[in-house]
């Protein structure tokens, strides 16, 4: 059974940092792009970032560009999201996703269960 499990969420003050992890199990994700989405209360799920299988290509939403860094360690089947200079509007449930293909879409093959990130003033 394929599983994506996020961890690393929590409460942080504005301006602070957090690192999210997404551990994949149940299959090899060779050839899979992986990415992060987030959903704030009362809002639709939105794209945050994605990373190619080899890690050489990364993409970001404008709202997080320059503050967030996506990476992956295929030997550990794990993806990361380093978040810095956090803002109140970054508060959301963060989801990881995996999809076969060059870019992540809003209909990936696999979703994680989500991890809460709360940024306080």
């Amino acid at each position: 059974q394929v599983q994506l499990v996020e961890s690393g969420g929590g409460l942080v003050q504005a301006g602070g940092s957090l690192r999210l992890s997404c551990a994949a199990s149940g299959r090899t994700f060779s050839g899979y792009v992986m990415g992060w989405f987030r959903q704030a209360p009362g809002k639709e799920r939105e794209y945050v970032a994605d990373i190619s299988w080899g890690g050489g290509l990364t993409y970001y939403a404008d709202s997080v560009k320059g503050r967030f860094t996506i990476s992956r360690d295929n030997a550990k089947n794990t993806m990361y999201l380093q978040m810095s200079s956090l803002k109140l509007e970054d508060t959301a449930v963060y989801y990881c996703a995996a999809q076969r293909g060059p870019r992540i879409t809003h209909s990936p093959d696999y979703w994680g269960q989500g991890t809460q990130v709360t940024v306080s003033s």
Side-chain angles (χ1 to χ4, degrees):
Q1 183 177 356
V2 175
Q3 274 194 312
L4 298 177
V5 180
E6 302 95 336
S7 61
L11 176 64
V12 63
Q13 284 193 321
S17 299
L18 275 178
R19 188 176 82 154
L20 305 183
S21 299
C22 172
S25 63
R27 66 155 297 139
T28 175
F29 281 86
S30 175
Y32 278 70
V33 63
M34 295 188 74
W36 292 95
F37 292 80
R38 67 186 182 186
Q39 188 167 20
K43 295 189 176 181
E44 293 187 352
R45 189 172 299 189
E46 66 173 1
Y47 164 82
V48 175
D50 64 324
I51 185 167
S52 61
W53 158 246
L57 296 173
T58 58
Y59 306 90
Y60 299 92
D62 288 343
S63 59
V64 306
K65 203 171 294 183
R67 299 188 298 119
F68 290 10
T69 302
I70 189 170
S71 62
R72 64 192 294 172
D73 183 342
N74 289 335
K76 296 182 179 179
N77 261 2
T78 301
M79 176 181 62
Y80 306 96
L81 186 68
Q82 178 67 48
M83 306 185 294
S84 303
S85 303
L86 283 161
K87 304 176 180 180
L88 297 179
E89 52 264 41
D90 294 319
T91 295
V93 177
Y94 283 71
Y95 298 89
C96 68
Q99 180 169 356
R100 181 166 287 279
R103 295 291 309 273
I104 203 80
T105 70
H106 282 267
S107 298
D109 297 316
Y110 304 104
W111 285 107
Q113 84 289 349
T115 186
Q116 176 71 46
V117 172
T118 302
V119 183
S120 66
S121 58

